[in-house]
Amino acid sequence: MDPLAELDRRISDCRACPRLVDWREEVARTKRAAFADQTYWGRAVPGFGPPDARLLIVGLAPAAHGGNRTGRMFTGDRSGDVLYQALYDVGLASRPTAVSVDDGLELYGVRVTSPVHCAPPANKPTPGERDTCRPWLVQELRLLRPTLRSVVVLGGFGWQATLPALAEAGWDVPRPRPVFGHGARVPLDGIDLFGCFHVSQRNTFTGRLTPEMLREVLRSAAGLP
């Protein structure tokens, strides 16, 4: 089995954080009324995208009725609607929507992951849960390193989780550690680290993050005109 596919399988079987396991499985049992006829994934959600990706996008954690339902990162929720539309707009995805694991969506040179692989209550993992999940991100970064050229981190939580993971995976991260900000760009040993506001409804509905702002970061990270 491909090493990244094996990592994804192992992530899916992870039960390391009792609070998150209880929550993801409770949500999968009770469901949302709109999805009452669907079988929820209800497990840890692995990354999504090719093993030779040049660009890695790091979020926060799966949504309770998005990735936790569908089994794929940013699939089936409003945040994913914004992200995959932007990826499609700049030519990095085969379609503008992500609704299920069998919808035919392909990413071109891009992989999407998160520092916490289980849906957390109120979308808020604890620092301890973030740190427990870090070895998965470290392993993913190591496997992607031969082709990886840029990392886009969505939001401050992901930024704080990604910097130590990059250091543990072998990149030389400066001290003091770079501060998160939308549009931040930090060169690190052959890759560029980009900061971007998260594609949460709070940010996109209020205009803090517009589609063009997101497309601009993605173009820069992918080296597109």
Side-chain angles (χ1 to χ4, degrees):
M1 182 179 291
D2 176 85
L4 196 56
E6 172 62 16
L7 177 66
D8 291 344
R9 185 196 64 77
R10 291 168 54 213
I11 288 172
S12 298
D13 291 337
C14 185
R15 301 181 64 84
C17 299
R19 186 182 79 110
L20 298 186
V21 171
D22 289 347
W23 174 251
R24 77 191 193 196
E25 293 180 352
E26 173 65 18
V27 169
R29 284 192 298 270
T30 58
K31 306 181 181 181
R32 178 175 282 172
F35 309 122
D37 62 337
Q38 298 186 21
T39 299
Y40 275 51
W41 172 256
R43 301 162 65 187
V45 181
F48 166 56
D52 59 351
R54 293 173 58 85
L55 167 60
L56 179 66
I57 298 174
V58 182
L60 192 161
H65 302 282
N68 188 58
R69 171 173 60 91
T70 62
R72 193 171 71 190
M73 286 288 175
F74 284 106
T75 298
D77 62 63
R78 294 286 183 86
S79 295
D81 291 344
V82 174
L83 177 61
Y84 288 117
Q85 178 69 61
L87 286 168
Y88 175 78
D89 289 344
V90 301
L92 297 174
S94 65
R95 50 181 290 161
T97 58
V99 295
S100 66
V101 294
D102 57 358
D103 60 11
L105 172 65
E106 294 182 54
L107 299 183
Y108 304 136
V110 180
R111 186 169 170 85
V112 181
T113 193
S114 66
V116 175
H117 286 275
C118 293
N123 291 321
K124 292 182 179 179
T126 67
E129 289 161 349
R130 174 199 64 199
D131 294 346
T132 298
C133 212
R134 182 180 298 150
W136 296 127
L137 181 56
V138 172
Q139 292 178 61
E140 191 168 13
L141 286 165
R142 286 173 174 161
L143 290 172
L144 292 172
R145 183 157 193 167
T147 58
L148 194 63
R149 295 297 176 265
S150 55
V151 178
V152 172
V153 182
L154 304 174
F157 181 95
W159 187 267
Q160 293 300 323
T162 301
L163 288 172
L166 283 165
E168 194 170 334
W171 276 273
D172 185 14
V173 177
R175 292 229 180 233
R177 285 178 176 164
V179 176
F180 172 77
H182 182 83
R185 182 172 185 170
V186 182
L188 296 174
D189 292 348
I191 68 168
D192 284 325
L193 177 68
F194 293 81
C196 179
F197 291 143
H198 196 278
V199 288
S200 66
Q201 291 186 54
R202 177 181 298 178
N203 287 339
T204 57
F205 284 6
T206 61
R208 188 176 190 229
L209 178 68
T210 66
E212 180 52 34
M213 290 168 65
L214 178 57
R215 289 193 295 264
E216 184 177 356
V217 172
L218 293 175
R219 287 192 198 101
S220 295
L224 299 171

